[in-house]
Amino acid sequence: EIVLTQSPATLSLSPGERATLSCRASQSVGSYLAWYQQKPGQAPRLLIYDASNRATGIPATFSGGGSGTDFTLTISSLEPEDFAVYYCQQRSNWPLTFGQGTKVEIK
Amino acid sequence: QVQLVESGGGVVQPGRSLRLSCAVSGFTFSNYDMHWVRQAPGKGLEWVAFISYDGSNKYYADSVKGRFTISRDNSKNTLYLQMNSLRAEDTAVYYCAKDLSPPPKVFDIWGQGTMVTVSS
């Protein structure tokens, strides 16, 4: 099973600041990594798939990068609605696995 | 619009069974693979099961293999999860999710979730 480790666990930032989230895989997943956003009481929302492709309707302030075992999700300028928990997910191997999440909170 | 609506959750005793349903609308259900994903209270996301568009292929997380069965009825636009021999650790919100396809194995549309509580 591929283990995804996200860091940091919590990121405390102010609106307008840049957020950089990390996801590291226990073995190479190629570019087969996705990112999701989840707000309290809501279902997750797909942001990025295959490392760098924005899903439909996702603003350009969200960008993804990386390949192999190291990936990043960048939010260029935090809006109030961006404070949430973010998960990475790999689709390289069964079972599909998620990281444990990074909470982006208001500083 | 695209919509996935789960139902069937509730409180159940350990060892008992429960069947979840996910009614879909707004897209051609029979063309897409589907998944179940769960989230224990205060915890992260865990993929549970996959079924291909025609029901011919299924995959399960090790934690549920042999106890849970995913199925679908394309004539009714409905996805199911039969959960047997339930354990306390199965307590979670269960989401059904549509596969993006292409690419596969990415969850692009999610339901609102249904809560399953396993407790005596």
Side-chain angles (χ1 to χ4, degrees):
Chain A
E1 170 176 318
I2 295 176
V3 176
L4 299 178
T5 302
Q6 293 186 239
S7 61
T10 304
L11 199 50
S12 299
L13 295 168
S14 301
E17 288 193 296
R18 181 185 187 91
T20 302
L21 288 65
S22 174
C23 178
R24 177 164 289 178
S26 60
Q27 65 188 76
S28 177
V29 298
S31 62
Y32 296 153
L33 191 101
W35 292 92
Y36 300 84
Q37 176 194 67
Q38 188 178 33
K39 298 178 182 178
Q42 296 185 17
R45 176 175 72 144
L46 175 65
L47 299 175
I48 300 284
Y49 64 92
D50 287 358
S52 60
N53 296 283
R54 275 189 301 277
T56 301
I58 302 303
T61 52
F62 290 90
S63 62
S67 66
T69 61
D70 290 296
F71 299 85
T72 57
L73 173 69
T74 302
I75 310 170
S76 59
S77 178
L78 283 163
E79 298 288 342
E81 61 268 25
D82 299 333
F83 291 91
V85 179
Y86 293 84
Y87 295 95
C88 57
Q89 175 246 326
Q90 65 81 21
R91 70 176 187 91
S92 176
N93 286 9
W94 299 105
L96 307 181
T97 52
F98 290 90
Q100 82 281 13
T102 289
K103 181 180 182 180
V104 178
E105 65 176 22
I106 300 176
K107 186 174 182 180
Chain B
Q1 73 280 21
V2 176
Q3 198 169 10
L4 286 68
V5 179
E6 301 95 336
S7 61
V11 180
V12 60
Q13 293 179 328
R16 303 297 290 266
S17 299
L18 207 58
R19 188 178 83 155
L20 306 183
S21 299
C22 171
V24 313
S25 58
F27 65 97
T28 305
F29 179 62
S30 58
N31 287 353
Y32 289 93
D33 301 337
M34 295 292 294
H35 304 260
W36 287 97
V37 178
R38 68 185 180 183
Q39 186 169 36
K43 303 297 184 182
L45 301 168
E46 178 187 18
W47 170 79
V48 172
F50 159 91
I51 187 167
S52 60
Y53 67 99
D54 61 356
S56 62
N57 289 299
K58 302 176 184 181
Y59 292 94
Y60 298 92
D62 285 347
S63 58
V64 307
K65 201 173 295 183
R67 300 187 299 122
F68 289 13
T69 302
I70 190 171
S71 63
R72 65 192 297 159
D73 187 335
N74 286 345
S75 69
K76 295 182 178 179
N77 287 347
T78 303
L79 176 72
Y80 302 101
L81 185 67
Q82 178 67 42
M83 304 186 295
N84 298 333
S85 303
L86 282 161
R87 306 167 179 169
E89 54 265 35
D90 296 317
T91 295
V93 174
Y94 285 74
Y95 296 101
C96 60
K98 172 185 167 293
D99 196 290
L100 179 58
S101 282
K105 297 178 279 184
V106 175
F107 318 112
D108 69 328
I109 306 293
W110 299 63
Q112 86 289 349
T114 187
M115 183 70 203
V116 173
T117 302
V118 183
S119 174
S120 54

